[in-house]
Amino acid sequence: MYESVRGRAKRVLVIGPPPNDSAISPSAVLAPDGKLIVMDADAARVAEIRDRLSSEGFGTRATVIGGDPARMVYKLAGPFDVIFCGDA
């Protein structure tokens, strides 16, 4: 299944920190015009994730939301092509 979405996902949701493994990562599945949304409860990690995504060139294609994902995820409109549950 993973190979079928590589580089083609238009909307990717990551709950928790994005995986560091480049073979299994949001950037590997995200289409060039895709949108990445990351949610994390830890404020320090949110800042770290924003910096990391900025340095990786995501720019306006990425949105990072701070707060408890269990309380925030219902506010997001789907569908998503891929959902990652990152390491806590």
Side-chain angles (χ1 to χ4, degrees), residues 21-33:
D21 184 343
S22 62
I24 304 172
S25 71
S27 59
V29 299
L30 193 65
D33 60 341

Side-chain angles (χ1 to χ4, degrees), residues 52-61:
R52 178 174 148 198
L53 293 174
S54 177
S55 70
E56 290 178 8
F58 278 92
T60 59
R61 294 185 322 133

Side-chain angles (χ1 to χ4, degrees), residues 7-8 12 14-15 26 28 36 38 47 52 61 64-65 78 81 84 88:
R8 295 181 24 208
V12 175
V14 179
I15 301 171
L36 173 66
V38 181
R52 178 174 148 198
R61 294 185 322 133
V64 182
I65 302 169
D81 296 309
F84 288 91

